[in-house]
Amino acid sequence: QVQLVESGGGSVQAGGSLRLSCKAAGYTYSMYCMGWFRQAPEMGREGVAFIGRDRSTTYTDSVEGRFTISKDNAKNTLYLEMNNLKPEDTAMYYCAARDRDCSGSILVASVMGYWGKGTLVTISP
């Protein structure tokens, strides 16, 4: 089993920055692909950014150039650096992982096997 715990959410004004962290524990070597999803109120859960075992990354178009996903294997921690935040980035952000590699595309929530409980990001105009 894998346990994922997110942190780093908060409230900032538009144009600001936040860094989300996701600490992994347990059977971590099975996490071939890790990523961040977000879910705004009354919306579905959408994939935001993914990183594979080879550190290849994929971003959804709306965050390309503003968000950076990275990981520190020694610390079993996944990060999401978010810059130039916009009100439409407001959502609950979830860390996720799966025991297959990333496909190079934005993955849907149903293919991820492990989830954290989320951290809330609120961006004010």
Side-chain angles (χ1 to χ4, degrees), residues 18-123:
L18 284 172
R19 188 175 81 156
L20 306 183
S21 298
C22 172
K23 178 72 173 178
Y27 212 52
T28 58
Y29 78 83
S30 68
M31 297 187 302
Y32 280 64
C33 177
M34 297 192 74
W36 291 95
F37 287 75
R38 65 186 180 187
Q39 188 167 16
E42 300 183 9
M43 300 291 288
R45 194 169 294 191
E46 68 164 340
V48 174
F50 298 89
I51 187 165
R53 294 194 77 178
D54 63 354
R55 299 182 183 275
S56 59
T57 58
T58 307
Y59 299 92
T60 193
D61 289 346
S62 62
V63 308
E64 184 81 53
R66 300 188 298 122
F67 291 12
T68 302
I69 188 171
S70 62
K71 61 180 179 177
D72 185 331
N73 289 336
K75 296 181 179 180
N76 285 333
T77 302
L78 178 73
Y79 302 100
L80 185 68
E81 185 75 36
M82 305 186 294
N83 298 312
N84 191 21
L85 284 159
K86 304 176 180 181
E88 51 264 43
D89 294 319
T90 294
M92 186 71 81
Y93 282 72
Y94 297 91
C95 173
R98 72 175 194 170
D99 57 4
R100 295 175 57 190
D101 210 348
C102 299
S103 65
S105 59
I106 297 299
L107 300 174
V108 295
S110 60
V111 303
M112 306 303 286
Y114 307 102
W115 290 90
K117 294 184 178 181
T119 185
L120 182 62
V121 171
T122 304
I123 311 301

